[in-house]
Amino acid sequence: MEFGVSKQKNRSFAVIGLGTFGTTVASELARFGNHVLGIDTVEKNVSRVAETLAEAVIADGRDEQALREAGVGNYDVAVVAIGEELEANILCTMNVKLLGVSTVWVKAMSRTHHRILTKLGADRVIQPEQEIGRHIAQMLHNPLVRDYVSLGNGFHVVDFRVPESLNGKRVDGVGLAEKHEIRALGLMRGSEFVSCETGAAELHTDDKLLLLGRREHLRNFADGL
């Protein structure tokens, strides 16, 4: 499910490092209607996104003056997506912070790198390979789990496919709260949203049931079906 940004004020983003990760982030942000500046040292990477982004320039993230001339300090958010060079990644993070960008997200390559970036004041440090790996492992472990979002503090929202074994049962009849400490937020039946607020909703095979709970409780529920 994708959530648009039509009802909120779009922000401006500077994405530095236009490899696969950076290009994907920049292109999706632009598709949502945001003003996006893409920066890379490699001309072909910049050319590849020139027609997709509002601006795309060749510059070195290690060079504070180059970033200043590109106007990075005027952007709401900077995404440092430089992946291969640790030094360039760290220097670029320092530079965008010095330029006064209020929100900085940075791609990290290791746990130690993560700690360094946190000390430098990065607002969010991302390790895409680990995050995607955990995501895929969760879905491979139980095919009933189509997708999930971590809310922090151990809580997740899971997109759970209703199996045949639950077909025809009411939401309040499967022991979500009583046995598993899980809350049903609602369910999608095709394009229709069905509220689970009262627990009276009847489950149908292949409904998308949105569940909120701790990882271990969600896992125990799914594994028991």
Side-chain angles (χ1 to χ4, degrees):
M1 180 183 295
E2 293 180 353
F3 296 91
V5 293
S6 58
K7 293 185 179 180
Q8 49 185 314
K9 180 182 177 182
N10 291 357
R11 293 183 294 168
S12 58
F13 297 84
V15 179
I16 307 164
L18 297 173
T20 302
F21 174 72
T23 296
T24 302
V25 171
S27 299
E28 285 296 290
L29 286 170
R31 188 168 68 86
F32 292 150
N34 298 288
H35 183 100
V36 182
L37 163 67
I39 296 176
D40 200 284
T41 56
V42 179
E43 183 178 0
K44 68 175 182 179
N45 291 347
V46 174
S47 300
R48 188 170 57 212
V49 299
E51 296 184 4
T52 304
L53 310 184
E55 298 179 72
V57 300
I58 301 171
D60 191 339
R62 296 172 296 185
D63 186 340
E64 180 188 347
Q65 185 58 34
L67 295 180
R68 188 183 301 277
E69 291 175 0
V72 171
N74 299 321
Y75 282 75
D76 299 316
V77 182
V79 180
V80 180
I82 300 170
E84 289 76 24
E85 299 181 38
L86 178 63
E87 179 184 352
N89 179 289
I90 291 172
L91 288 174
C92 183
T93 301
M94 293 174 61
N95 286 336
V96 296
K97 293 294 292 184
L98 288 171
L99 290 175
V101 180
S102 60
T103 303
V104 180
W105 287 41
V106 190
K107 177 182 178 181
M109 291 167 279
S110 66
R111 190 169 293 179
T112 300
H113 187 196
H114 189 295
R115 288 198 293 267
I116 293 171
L117 294 170
T118 301
K119 293 288 186 182
L120 290 176
D123 297 282
R124 178 74 180 269
V125 180
I126 316 145
Q127 291 181 260
E129 290 82 4
Q130 286 191 13
E131 293 183 19
I132 292 297
R134 284 193 294 265
H135 207 99
I136 291 173
Q138 175 66 48
M139 291 184 286
L140 287 171
H141 173 70
N142 195 311
L144 294 176
V145 176
R146 291 175 165 175
D147 206 353
Y148 77 97
V149 177
S150 174
L151 303 180
N153 297 321
F155 283 91
H156 294 72
V157 173
V158 168
D159 176 355
F160 177 83
R161 181 176 64 82
V162 174
E164 289 186 14
S165 61
L166 297 182
N167 185 50
K169 293 187 178 182
R170 286 169 46 125
V171 170
D172 59 8
V174 297
L176 290 173
E178 300 81 357
K179 296 180 181 178
H180 301 284
E181 300 181 43
I182 296 171
R183 179 182 173 189
L185 302 178
L187 63 86
M188 294 297 298
R189 183 169 296 143
S191 60
E192 176 190 6
F193 176 79
V194 179
S195 173
C196 293
E197 187 173 352
T198 66
E202 185 177 286
L203 298 171
H204 294 176
T205 302
D206 289 335
D207 281 349
K208 292 182 178 181
L209 184 59
L210 304 179
L211 301 175
L212 169 65
R214 292 190 177 276
R215 176 184 293 178
E216 61 270 23
H217 297 155
L218 291 163
R219 181 184 296 124
N220 291 339
F221 170 69
D223 289 351
L225 296 172

